[in-house]
Amino acid sequence: MSILNRRRFLAISAAALAVPSGAAASVARWTGYALGGPVSMQLAGVAQADADPIFAMVEAELDRLEDIFSLYRDKSELSRLNRFGTLGDPSAELLHVLSACASLNAASDGQFDPTVQPLWLAIANEADDNAIEAAKAVVGWSNVGFDAHQVSLPKGGALTLNGIAQGAVTDRIAALLRGQGLRDVLVDMGEIAALGQGPNGPWSIGVAKTDGTLVHRLTASDRAIATSVPTAMEIGGTQGHILSPTGGTPLQALVSVSAPTAMIADGLSTALCLVDDAAGARIVAAFPDAKIEVMTSV
């Protein structure tokens, strides 16, 4: 299973399930497959035939973005970075995400740390204690260097952008749709971006547990929502798939965050799984207009 696949499991089973409220109206719909799982869009007030050329543009953009962020495309920027330890001429999109990672890492006192990838793999592969300790030794965001010319990792290091890339892709697709003059849109690329309104008012979004139990409902307009459930997938037998830099156990069972961008909502929902309620409130306060929607302790 790819690293992005395990985040996609959350998007299907536990994250926001979004539907327009009220009776059906004119809504063009699209479903596809990207980033390791199903993705979808709804365009309110648009006929399906008129929307089809726009959906084709979205498919092409998703393919381009997977060539940056995918861990299961060997030639993607992220895969090449992890394989060789350096990447020259990184794309603007990758640098944008890495900059956000730095902000989230600082705000969370290091709990949000994409360099956990070697540790994740060691635990998932049920490696021995020596291999796990060796993996821990290369974890640490301070070991990552990046600028407009190059991204570099320590020897043996690797990144997973699983806790933020889907949000970034969601934002990019939302921006593409705005560029086509669309204002009433619901985008689900693993995280949710609700633009404008649905056919009957603000978009209605539900947050559910992995068993489908609804735990929260909100309405959203020009806002993004992301949800994380550490135990939705287990690695190495019993370890939840969201890891602290030391491999520590998550403190939260479910976290849902809304924010102006899906990238920040995504990163915050990941980071907050690893901290207590007080720390979670402090971390979110560092990001303007971000809000904890649900935070359920283990």
Side-chain angles (χ1 to χ4, degrees), residues 2 4-13 15-17 30-41 62 66 72 166 169-170 187-192:
S2 72
L4 286 181
N5 257 349
R6 64 180 197 262
R7 180 68 172 183
R8 172 59 57 186
F9 178 84
L10 298 182
I12 295 169
S13 301
L17 304 175
W30 172 89
T31 59
Y33 191 90
L35 302 173
V39 293
S40 65
M41 287 178 292
L62 284 171
E66 290 213 68
Y72 55 90
Q166 286 183 340
V169 171
T170 300
V187 179
D188 181 359
M189 299 294 146
E191 313 304 346
I192 302 290

Side-chain angles (χ1 to χ4, degrees), residues 250-273:
L251 300 182
Q252 304 295 335
L254 182 150
V255 177
S256 186
V257 175
S258 65
T261 70
M263 179 176 66
I264 293 302
D266 192 3
L268 286 173
S269 73
T270 302
L272 266 57
C273 289

Side-chain angles (χ1 to χ4, degrees), residues 64-65 67-69 77-78 80 87-98 146-151:
R64 186 184 73 85
L65 293 169
D67 279 342
I68 298 171
F69 296 114
E77 290 190 24
L78 184 57
R80 287 186 283 125
L87 177 72
D89 298 320
S91 64
E93 290 85 355
L94 180 60
L95 291 174
H96 179 56
V97 169
L98 293 178
F146 65 94
D147 58 28
H149 304 290
Q150 180 174 279
V151 183

Side-chain angles (χ1 to χ4, degrees), residues 115-129:
T115 67
V116 297
Q117 175 69 354
L119 179 58
W120 195 96
L121 289 173
I123 293 173
N125 293 327
E126 299 186 12
D128 60 29
D129 290 345

Side-chain angles (χ1 to χ4, degrees), residues 153-272:
L153 304 175
K155 184 177 181 180
L159 298 183
T160 171
L161 298 177
N162 182 54
I164 193 170
Q166 286 183 340
V169 171
T170 300
D171 289 335
R172 173 57 198 150
I173 297 303
L176 183 153
L177 296 172
R178 285 193 194 97
Q180 295 299 306
L182 298 169
R183 295 293 178 267
D184 300 317
V185 173
L186 191 73
V187 179
D188 181 359
M189 299 294 146
E191 313 304 346
I192 302 290
L195 309 183
Q197 301 204 16
N200 300 289
W203 296 101
S204 178
I205 300 171
V207 178
K209 296 179 180 180
T210 52
D211 63 3
T213 302
L214 187 70
V215 297
H216 182 63
R217 184 167 289 283
L218 66 149
T219 57
S221 178
D222 298 322
R223 196 158 180 83
I225 301 93
T227 302
S228 294
V229 179
T231 57
M233 176 182 172
E234 293 180 343
I235 60 174
T238 59
Q239 173 71 57
H241 75 282
I242 295 178
L243 295 181
S244 76
T246 60
T249 303
L251 300 182
Q252 304 295 335
L254 182 150
V255 177
S256 186
V257 175
S258 65
T261 70
M263 179 176 66
I264 293 302
D266 192 3
L268 286 173
S269 73
T270 302
L272 266 57

